Amino acid sequence: MPDGSKRMFAAAGIASEARSKYRFLPSAALPPDIPQGPIPIADMANAFGVTHRTLHFYEEKGLISANRIGLMRVYDQDDVMRMAVITVCRETGMPIAVIQELMDVLRSAVSQEEAESIFREALSQRKRELTAEMSTLHRQLQQVSDLLDYDSSLDLPPINDNRDPASLTDQERQCLELMAEGYSTQRIARALDLRHEEARALEADIIMKFHANNRFQAIAKAVLLGIVQA
């Protein structure tokens, strides 16, 4: 490389270092074979597996900054370290606004230990958010599964695997009618003068006799058999 180009790269590195606002950054895995000194935008994009547009976007958000050597955009090692932290955050699905807040807080870190602590807290918060999202998704998935089970039961022929409606006791018939009317287990217990546990066991026996997976399937089969009115 000509001496003039070396001097320009060195000058760019010094200018970027003077502009850096981060004294300490948390540890994050760096791409292998990352070159030392100012890094052209093409090399930066290839190293982190992103597009030039993504790097421009991060610059617009104030997450990284670039120098110019002639027409070439270059990044220094501080930008590489920041980009490593940003990449970890993005891989966890952390929103850009949250990453911006995190990087702002990291500017105030006065030691490596504090920077690591700030980063761990941000990751812990993201873990709590993901756990809550998973809980919501599991609940919604169960609701969809119950609805699909209920819908599929309507396609069954109007016969019961049990084939003997008379096998229901009077109390079970009463309970089934209340179930068909939309009564909750607690309301059924009050209506039939039962303890909550007894009402729940009664429902379970009815569901088992209809070879159903849940109360919705049991009610649907009972309606198809004409045991209860829809």
Side-chain angles (χ1 to χ4, degrees), residues 168 172-180 206 210 222 227-228:
L168 292 175
E172 287 173 342
R173 284 177 177 272
Q174 287 179 302
C175 180
L176 182 59
E177 289 173 357
L178 294 175
M179 289 166 61
I206 294 171
F210 280 90
I227 300 174
V228 296

Side-chain angles (χ1 to χ4, degrees), residues 135-154:
S135 177
T136 299
L137 287 173
H138 280 305
R139 184 172 64 253
Q140 292 173 340
L141 180 60
Q142 184 59 53
Q143 290 173 339
V144 171
S145 297
D146 289 344
L147 290 171
L148 289 174
D149 288 341
Y150 173 73
D151 289 341
S152 64
S153 70
L154 300 180

Side-chain angles (χ1 to χ4, degrees), residues 30-36 39 43 47:
L30 295 174
D33 302 324
I34 195 78
Q36 295 296 316
I39 304 171
D43 293 342

Side-chain angles (χ1 to χ4, degrees), residues 175 178-179 181-191 196 199 203 215:
C175 180
L178 294 175
M179 289 166 61
E181 292 178 18
Y183 275 49
S184 65
T185 304
Q186 186 173 2
R187 289 186 64 192
I188 290 174
R190 288 199 299 266
H196 186 271
E203 284 188 11
R215 61 160 34 207

